[in-house]
Amino acid sequence: MSKATQTFRPGLERIAAYRAGKPAPAGPDGRSVKLSSNENPYPPLPSVVAHLTTVLPEAISRYPSIAAEELTGALARRFDVSPENIALGSGSVEVAGQLIHAMTAPGDEVMFAWRSFEAYPILVRVAGAVPVEVPLDADARHDLPAMAAAITERTSLIFVCNPNNPTGTVVTEAELDAFMAQVPSHVLVVVDEAYVHFDRSADSPSGIEFFRRYPNIAVLHTFSKAYGLAGLRVGYAIAPEEVAEALRKVAIPFAVTRLAQAAAVASLAAEDELQLRIDEMVAERTRLTAALEAQGLTVIPSEANFVWLPLGEATADAGAAFERHGISVRAFAGEGVRVSIGDPAENDAVVAAVVAEGIGASVAA
Ligand SMILES: *Cc1c(COP(=O)(O)O)cnc(C)c1O
């Protein structure tokens, strides 16, 4: 094949493709355990599957409703906001992209903590904006005072990922209030609450309450993590009306399929049942954390459906060791390993791999 002679957009070569969690090769016992994408280990709820079956034929041959009246209405009632405050997307990652496209001019700055969600810098660069990464503090938490100090006249958007992916840490309500007092009102602060259902800390801010309290807050939610719909792709923002309207303008038409809408509606109707699973995952998080600490590992206390092992220079070796045992995790070389919470057997497999390989032993020593 001949080499492409077309010209690509300048700067595109500096944009990394999103690195998705890989399935692990089978381990010694023939099992492959994927704990690299923070997915929900449970199968979909029977009530959700039953509802999908009823809409399936139409859902395939017809375009979905762009307004998604039923889902938008259900979300508005669930959070006691106006339907005008809601903007949907094909996963909240698309909504994050909408926010950047709608709010930034070329060269505008979009700030976020680092390390945080890997999609942020990619989405920002694709939109032609400038990512501003503010390092997490020594406890792997957002350094909100440093973020406030990094605001410039070019700042248009700030993401606060709470709980933070991949460290699982949270900001407190008082910290976020103090931060908001320093953010000019023309700068929109996006509280990305992809993992909010797993957050058990007493002093965490509620994104929705902050949305009600400040005119420049948007909240991002997803059905992918706690509700187990990652494959169907549906997320949303709750935002000031003018912002939500702008998001709908830049949204990809028909990106939220009828199946995704139907599954989301059915999931909202089954929140009690889903809550039991969330409670299970939180209990497993506690159990896994204790078991890993018992092996001498440092585990950052997590409020999400994953744990963060700050292994530093030992990270790459640890990632490879997990793979040898058929477990895929997310390893950020030189920084640490993120391990999603799986079902009890999968979490046992994580501990068994740590014991067998002596993962972290050199760090603990
Ligand atoms: C997983 C994740 C999302 C969104 O996932 P979607 O599947 O696109 O809804 C958003 N933010 C963070 C921080 C995440 O980890």
Side-chain angles (χ1 to χ4, degrees):
M1 218 162 53
S2 62
K3 204 170 176 318
T5 54
Q6 298 81 12
T7 46
F8 293 90
R9 200 180 104 186
L12 197 64
E13 69 284 353
R14 290 197 308 273
I15 301 177
Y18 185 85
R19 198 163 56 97
K22 291 180 297 197
D29 60 357
R31 245 162 60 103
S32 161
V33 179
K34 185 176 179 227
L35 299 177
S36 50
S37 295
N38 299 340
E39 291 150 333
N40 194 308
Y42 289 97
L45 287 179
S47 60
V48 172
V49 174
H51 186 54
L52 288 180
T53 313
T54 67
V55 301
L56 191 57
E58 282 259 301
I60 290 174
S61 56
R62 301 286 176 184
Y63 283 110
S65 157
I66 290 187
E69 295 83 355
E70 198 184 351
L71 175 56
T72 303
L75 287 169
R77 285 189 298 280
R78 170 71 178 74
F79 293 105
D80 193 20
V81 297
S82 158
E84 301 297 314
N85 293 123
I86 293 169
L88 299 168
S90 174
S92 60
V93 108
E94 198 230 333
V95 188
Q98 291 169 12
L99 280 158
I100 298 164
H101 283 281
M103 309 307 287
T104 64
D108 277 357
E109 294 173 355
V110 178
M111 190 191 300
F112 44 86
W114 200 250
R115 179 168 288 276
S116 188
F117 187 32
E118 287 169 278
Y120 297 152
I122 299 171
L123 294 170
V124 171
R125 287 198 177 93
V126 167
V130 177
V132 175
E133 302 178 346
V134 178
L136 296 169
D137 69 13
D139 297 321
R141 301 176 68 241
H142 276 68
D143 189 343
L144 290 176
M147 290 175 75
I151 294 171
T152 72
E153 71 280 3
R154 293 310 303 264
T155 307
S156 62
L157 205 57
I158 302 174
F159 283 91
V160 175
C161 187
N162 197 56
N164 187 45
N165 174 8
T167 58
T169 53
V170 285
V171 302
T172 67
E173 177 169 3
E175 287 167 345
L176 192 60
D177 259 326
F179 178 68
M180 289 308 297
Q182 293 181 270
V183 177
S185 60
H186 65 269
V187 176
L188 186 70
V189 174
V190 181
V191 185
D192 185 342
E193 292 192 326
Y195 302 99
V196 68
H197 293 88
F198 304 102
D199 185 355
R200 293 291 184 274
S201 73
D203 51 6
S204 263
S206 150
I208 302 291
E209 273 175 35
F210 270 74
F211 159 76
R212 296 191 218 285
R213 196 178 303 171
Y214 295 93
N216 56 331
I217 287 258
V219 184
L220 272 185
H221 283 174
T222 176
F223 285 91
S224 295
K225 308 286 164 52
Y227 289 2
L229 300 181
L232 281 174
R233 316 300 307 126
V234 52
Y236 57 95
I238 295 178
E241 281 187 20
E242 300 76 7
V243 173
E245 189 185 343
L247 298 184
R248 288 189 287 268
K249 270 191 200 171
V250 300
I252 299 166
F254 308 115
V256 185
T257 67
R258 203 177 287 216
L259 285 179
Q261 295 178 26
V265 168
S267 297
L268 287 172
E271 278 198 308
D272 291 349
E273 214 177 331
L274 288 163
Q275 188 59 46
L276 300 175
R277 297 174 159 199
I278 294 165
D279 293 343
E280 273 291 317
M281 285 185 265
V282 169
E284 277 296 293
R285 176 178 78 201
T286 305
R287 189 177 73 86
L288 180 66
T289 300
L292 293 174
E293 285 176 341
Q295 295 306 317
L297 281 165
T298 299
V299 186
I300 302 293
S302 171
E303 298 295 341
N305 68 338
F306 51 81
V307 293
W308 175 246
L309 311 175
L311 287 161
E313 293 310 315
T315 295
D317 286 350
F322 277 117
E323 280 222 347
R324 277 198 294 280
H325 284 259
I327 302 169
S328 79
V329 297
R330 196 68 77 94
F332 298 102
E335 296 178 55
V337 169
R338 189 193 72 197
V339 186
S340 307
I341 303 298
D343 65 29
E346 291 171 328
N347 303 329
D348 286 344
V350 169
V351 180
V354 166
V355 172
E357 295 279 346
I359 291 172
S362 61
V363 178

